[in-house]
Amino acid sequence: MILVPAAVPRTAPAFQRPIDPRRRPPVLAGLTIETLPPGAHVEQRSPADAEFVTVLLAGRLEAAGRILGPGEALRHPPGSACHLTALRGAPTAILTVQPVRVEEPGNIPAQRSSSSERSAWQGVAVTSVTLAAGEGHEPLRHSASDAFIVVLSGTGTLVGENGQAALFPGDLAYIRAGESHGLRADPQGPVTVLLGRVWYPAPSGGLLVDGDRPRSCRSH
């Protein structure tokens, strides 16, 4: 498990790469977090053979003809370009999740590697969840997917194989496949978190966001 305190910058502009596959193998996705000042314009381009997801963590964002609020996501199909605009008000924080292409069997656990899977792409699913004060989920394991948690508001406790860790707004936890993890809201109040999972290989139907068909950027 990788715990990154204060992964979401509080000032803008700012850019962080809390989960870098080149430095933290083996993980199934790279995660970057960028904070934009009000009115900032950003263009995101995906590679011709890759797709990724942008998730709004704070503020408001205009993209693909709609306004996104915290916890909402936008899919970027391979070979697409998308223009993002941070709306007026508080700084806008965005999370970008880019699955890692598996080139060698050693990049993933042995039980999931095969010659037919080496060039496959992962699927990504994200959703926001609010736990009431004192509510929690018992520790569980995902054998075929990585998971990540970003705290949007409130405080809670992450329960892992090596004990417990306090979570505060802006903290990020990345859990590798097979690692036990649970989450509990503190008794003082509710906690809202972004939950994400990355699969290898992608589940049937491709990349999923919020269990629904996400708005996509256009291909170039």
Side-chain angles (χ1 to χ4, degrees):
M1 183 181 298
I2 304 168
L3 182 61
V4 185
V8 182
R10 296 186 178 182
T11 59
F15 178 87
Q16 292 192 143
R17 193 185 302 273
I19 303 298
D20 188 342
R22 298 169 299 180
R23 299 181 180 179
R24 297 181 184 272
V27 294
L28 296 183
L31 274 61
T32 61
I33 298 177
E34 186 172 8
T35 304
L36 306 173
H41 301 277
V42 174
E43 182 182 62
Q44 291 189 329
R45 291 180 176 270
S46 61
D49 57 353
E51 56 186 354
F52 60 90
V53 172
T54 297
V55 188
L56 186 62
L57 301 178
R60 293 196 306 156
L61 189 71
E62 182 178 1
R66 64 169 175 160
I67 305 299
L68 301 179
E72 294 189 285
L74 183 70
R75 171 190 172 187
H76 302 265
S80 67
C82 195
H83 297 275
L84 312 177
T85 301
L87 300 183
R88 300 292 178 181
T92 296
I94 57 174
L95 166 72
T96 299
V97 183
Q98 185 163 351
V100 178
R101 188 170 189 174
V102 178
E103 300 288 357
E104 299 294 339
N107 289 354
I108 57 176
Q111 68 269 22
R112 289 184 284 148
S113 63
S114 73
S115 59
S116 62
E117 294 175 346
R118 294 176 194 172
S119 61
W121 289 88
Q122 293 79 12
V124 178
V126 294
T127 189
S128 58
V129 174
T130 298
L131 299 177
E135 183 182 4
H137 295 293
E138 293 299 318
L140 51 80
R141 301 175 190 269
H142 300 301
S143 61
S145 64
D146 286 2
F148 59 87
I149 300 170
V150 182
V151 182
L152 301 180
S153 63
T155 58
T157 300
L158 181 67
V159 181
E161 296 177 342
N162 297 320
Q164 301 182 355
L167 293 178
F168 300 93
D171 289 354
L172 180 150
Y174 191 97
I175 303 99
R176 298 181 180 92
E179 293 180 332
S180 174
H181 62 286
L183 179 65
R184 183 175 64 249
D186 286 345
Q188 292 80 5
V191 62
T192 299
V193 299
L194 180 76
L195 300 178
R197 292 177 65 187
V198 185
W199 282 269
Y200 181 88
S204 176
L207 184 147
L208 307 174
V209 177
D210 291 332
D212 198 357
R213 186 180 300 277
R215 183 68 62 89
S216 297
C217 291
R218 66 186 183 280
S219 298
H220 45 242

